Amino acid sequence: MNKQWMEFAESIKNLYGKDFIALHEPTFNEKEIDYVTDCVQTGWVSSVGSYVTRFEEDLAKFVGVKRAVAVVNGTAALHIALKIVGVRADDEVLMPSLTFIATANAVSYLQAIPHFVDVNEETLGVDPFKLEQYLGEIAELRQGELYNKQTNRRIKALLPMHTFGHPCMLDELVALCDKYKLELVEDAAESLGSYYNGKHTGTFGKVSAMSFNGNKVITTGGGGVILTNDEELANYAKHLTTTAKVPHCWEFVHDEIGYNYRMPNINAALGCAQLEKISQFIEQKRDLTRFYENLVVNIAGIRLFKEPIHTKSNYWLQVILLDEQNNRNEVLNFLNEQGVMSRPIWTPLHELEMYKECPKMNLAITEQLKQTVINIPSTPVKVSKEKI
């Protein structure tokens, strides 16, 4: 690697003041310690406690929805979100191949089938124009529901994912779902604090899911949430994720198969403290973007991915894109050897053994991005004005 790449790695290490820079780490201070200590001292550490309710209410207010239902992780949130909008066994769910495997796994938990669609280069998310053309060729409406003419299966939902926090083209996707009678379920796992035309992601579909894993913008250790403006769906989600137990003073009566997906109070306490600082985290991430933008101009054949038009992104993970002058694996090897943790984008799901036989459209952009996208360190950090 040349001198410019060496300077790139050294600049990142100097910014963070470390010899090894992780891709994304949580940021804690005394407030997290205080809230978690309160749980320990009072004994309210498990699935019941005031911090769960507080976290749900604070999060719903921040995002701008009526209800938030906290659960054990983002995959569980996706699973229940899909279930409550009516996805059943043998249904197909349209989703990008270029996403973390949890998106497809949640579909599979319902014995439904992922149907992989392509993304565009402007958002890294589902391409609504290519998808509309594709559906016009392979699908048809029958009595108000969409069916795949090739498999004769119902296509029930569209599950777009806001890649690395960058919002999809949501207006176009909403219109597409209206036209083809699809449920829009947003995989907003990575996009807390991201907005499309001034409206928070996760609020465009009937229901959506977010994640609070340790590497997300804010963390509850593990954790996820189901977001909706539909009170009836929220109540059903809460019921299903608390083992479908019918309220009673002492009896254990369950009225259907439920799931033990409750977020523990101690995790919610961590989330409450983190949510109080989310504006600071996002401001620092956006400053970090400007820092990287100044760095990449010195290296031939790479560019920094910037938020799409009409959006404000949380820049959860910073993205550089390589051209043919730079070999992806050589860049990854060099940066990691220098102590700057870097990762490729996920292996497209249609290439994984368990999903190879799933239906799919032409995935040319997905396969191109697989070879060109690299994530670089993205932990919020204070950047001095002279560096941006």
Side-chain angles (χ1 to χ4, degrees):
M1 305 297 291
N2 60 29
K3 179 183 176 182
Q4 286 73 31
W5 276 109
M6 182 65 74
E7 291 174 348
F8 179 76
E10 288 301 315
S11 295
I12 297 172
K13 289 195 286 185
N14 289 337
L15 175 67
Y16 283 97
K18 299 177 181 178
D19 290 329
F20 173 78
I21 316 300
L23 194 64
H24 198 292
E25 294 181 304
T27 303
F28 301 134
N29 61 21
E30 291 81 5
K31 188 60 69 72
E32 285 86 356
I33 295 171
D34 289 345
Y35 288 1
V36 171
T37 300
D38 180 51
C39 290
V40 173
Q41 290 178 340
T42 60
W44 293 98
V45 299
S46 193
S47 56
V48 178
S50 62
Y51 284 108
V52 175
T53 301
R54 175 178 166 183
F55 184 59
E56 290 177 336
E57 291 175 349
D58 290 352
L59 190 67
K61 182 178 180 180
F62 178 82
V63 172
V65 292
K66 291 180 179 178
R67 294 286 300 278
V69 179
V71 293
V72 69
N73 55 50
T75 310
L78 278 173
H79 175 200
I80 298 303
L82 290 163
K83 181 176 175 65
I84 63 178
V85 299
V87 174
R88 303 192 302 257
D90 209 39
D91 282 344
E92 293 180 9
V93 175
L94 301 165
M95 56 172 290
S97 178
L98 201 66
T99 182
F100 182 57
I101 196 169
T103 313
N105 286 348
V107 173
S108 298
Y109 295 167
L110 294 165
Q111 297 181 309
I113 295 137
H115 187 148
F116 297 121
V117 302
D118 208 9
V119 298
N120 63 35
E121 296 174 279
E122 290 75 27
T123 68
L124 306 180
V126 171
D127 187 323
F129 306 110
K130 290 175 67 176
L131 178 56
E132 181 166 19
Q133 180 179 356
Y134 175 67
L135 290 177
E137 295 168 356
I138 65 99
E140 64 182 2
L141 287 166
R142 303 175 190 169
Q143 298 181 330
E145 293 188 310
L146 191 67
Y147 280 80
N148 185 336
K149 293 186 291 186
Q150 299 172 346
T151 65
N152 208 34
R153 291 190 291 250
R154 183 174 71 158
I155 305 175
K156 178 61 178 175
L158 171 62
L159 183 57
M161 196 272 288
H162 303 300
T163 309
F164 307 133
H166 298 293
C168 298
M169 300 175 72
L170 283 161
D171 284 346
E172 290 83 357
L173 292 177
V174 168
L176 187 68
C177 288
D178 288 344
K179 177 179 179 179
Y180 286 102
K181 312 303 178 186
L182 295 166
E183 296 289 358
L184 177 63
V185 179
E186 290 177 71
D187 182 348
E190 302 170 359
S191 64
L192 179 63
S194 294
Y195 297 83
Y196 179 85
N197 280 333
K199 186 179 178 183
H200 201 290
T201 54
T203 63
F204 288 79
K206 187 179 291 185
V207 64
S208 67
M210 284 186 174
S211 169
F212 307 112
N213 189 33
N215 64 351
K216 294 300 191 294
V217 178
I218 70 168
T219 184
T220 57
V225 71
I226 301 158
L227 301 172
T228 184
N229 283 309
D230 188 314
E231 294 281 0
E232 185 176 345
L233 283 182
N235 291 335
Y236 186 39
K238 191 72 170 179
H239 183 62
L240 284 176
T241 57
T242 53
T243 68
K245 183 179 182 296
V246 178
H248 193 276
C249 295
W250 61 79
E251 293 285 359
F252 287 88
V253 177
H254 306 261
D255 58 5
E256 64 177 294
I257 295 173
Y259 306 87
N260 190 9
Y261 281 173
R262 296 171 287 193
M263 177 183 284
N265 196 50
I266 196 168
N267 294 84
L270 196 63
C272 288
Q274 289 269 286
L275 193 56
E276 292 176 13
K277 297 179 289 186
I278 187 169
S279 295
Q280 173 193 325
F281 291 159
I282 293 173
E283 182 181 355
Q284 290 179 338
K285 281 179 164 291
R286 293 180 66 82
D287 284 347
L288 182 61
T289 301
R290 289 186 277 271
F291 169 78
Y292 280 134
E293 192 171 15
N294 290 332
L295 284 188
V296 300
V297 297
N298 299 317
I299 306 176
I302 75 169
R303 67 179 176 92
L304 187 72
F305 186 86
K306 301 293 293 296
E307 62 193 359
I309 189 171
H310 305 309
T311 74
K312 181 179 180 181
S313 176
N314 66 11
Y315 283 99
W316 169 54
L317 287 185
Q318 301 286 341
V319 175
I320 57 173
L321 295 106
L322 311 176
D323 68 11
E324 63 277 0
Q325 297 180 61
N326 293 281
N327 178 275
R328 187 196 75 166
N329 288 348
E330 288 181 4
V331 172
L332 287 168
N333 285 333
F334 172 76
L335 291 176
N336 283 286
E337 286 173 358
Q338 296 302 312
V340 178
M341 183 181 285
S342 305
R343 291 289 182 267
I345 205 165
W346 314 280
T347 299
L349 300 187
H350 71 281
E351 297 181 5
L352 299 180
E353 192 62 37
M354 69 287 282
Y355 293 125
K356 279 184 176 179
E357 302 305 316
C358 291
K360 61 182 181 293
M361 66 185 292
N362 182 289
L363 299 169
I365 301 301
T366 294
E367 290 166 358
Q368 172 190 318
L369 290 171
K370 173 191 172 184
Q371 301 299 327
T372 60
V373 169
I374 288 179
N375 294 124
I376 54 178
S378 306
T379 302
V381 63
K382 186 175 181 179
V383 184
S384 61
K385 289 185 179 180
E386 59 267 19
K387 292 184 177 180
I388 58 176

